[in-house]
Amino acid sequence: MRILIQRVKKASVTIDNEVTSLINNGLLILIGVCDEDNDEDIEWLVKKAVNLRIFDDENGVMNLSVTDIDGEILAVSQFTLMASTKKGNRPSYIKAAKPEISVPLYEKFCAELEKAMNKPIKTGVFGADMKVELINDGPVTIFIDSKNRE
């Protein structure tokens, strides 16, 4: 499982010209799922995401997590995070899990985020043509792959 975390001042998802999800100060998390992903990947990534110290403290040092600042989370499925660009110029998405695998894992990831945050999170709509807008704060953007824990 791969996630791309962006610290945002604001983020939203629009579908068919209607804003379906909106957050202010917090994290936009894009999620890509592969066939080998499981509950262990979800648990590890959720802990990383909610505890990542990427928000400024009173001294302007990135020392606080999204939970520390009582921030919000917008979680959006994005199969293109599983792209392989090894050969040629057209990305291959063969590593991306099919919906019968990815939908339950994405939904469980979101449910575990809500538990860890102890409040509801906002989401995109799996498989929809979404327009995602954000004001990246910093910018701060961090990529994490559960299969490459560095």
Side-chain angles (χ1 to χ4, degrees):
M1 188 173 281
R2 295 175 178 172
I3 62 174
L4 184 75
I5 297 174
Q6 295 179 294
R7 184 178 78 178
V8 298
K9 287 291 185 191
K10 184 178 182 179
S12 65
V13 171
T14 300
I15 301 171
D16 295 329
N17 296 318
E18 183 179 331
V19 175
T20 58
S21 292
L22 172 69
I23 65 163
N24 290 301
N25 200 32
L27 301 175
L28 169 62
I29 303 177
L30 305 175
I31 303 126
V33 179
C34 74
D35 288 333
E36 297 83 35
D37 291 331
N38 57 42
D39 290 350
E40 183 183 319
D41 296 290
I42 291 170
E43 181 181 326
W44 187 77
L45 286 171
V46 165
K47 282 182 186 175
K48 280 290 184 188
V50 300
N51 292 304
L52 209 55
R53 296 181 345 180
I54 59 173
F55 291 89
D56 292 348
D57 63 15
E58 64 279 355
N59 298 314
V61 177
M62 285 197 288
N63 204 26
L64 301 174
S65 70
V66 69
T67 54
D68 294 331
I69 66 156
D70 194 30
E72 298 180 274
I73 293 179
L74 172 56
V76 178
S77 62
Q78 188 170 353
F79 78 93
T80 60
L81 281 178
M82 301 312 297
S84 173
T85 57
K86 188 175 181 179
K87 293 167 68 177
N89 293 318
R90 179 178 295 164
S92 168
Y93 302 108
I94 194 130
K95 292 181 184 178
K98 301 288 185 250
E100 56 271 14
I101 293 172
S102 55
V103 170
L105 289 173
Y106 165 71
E107 289 173 351
K108 181 158 188 177
F109 181 86
C110 292
E112 293 300 317
L113 276 175
E114 286 188 340
K115 284 183 195 172
M117 292 291 291
N118 201 27
K119 65 180 181 180
I121 66 161
K122 301 291 178 72
T123 64
V125 175
F126 192 94
D129 181 13
M130 297 176 277
K131 307 303 179 213
V132 179
E133 291 185 80
L134 68 136
I135 299 174
N136 197 325
D137 183 19
V140 175
T141 303
I142 298 175
F143 178 76
I144 305 174
D145 187 335
S146 64
K147 303 297 190 240
N148 186 15
R149 299 182 186 194
E150 55 181 14

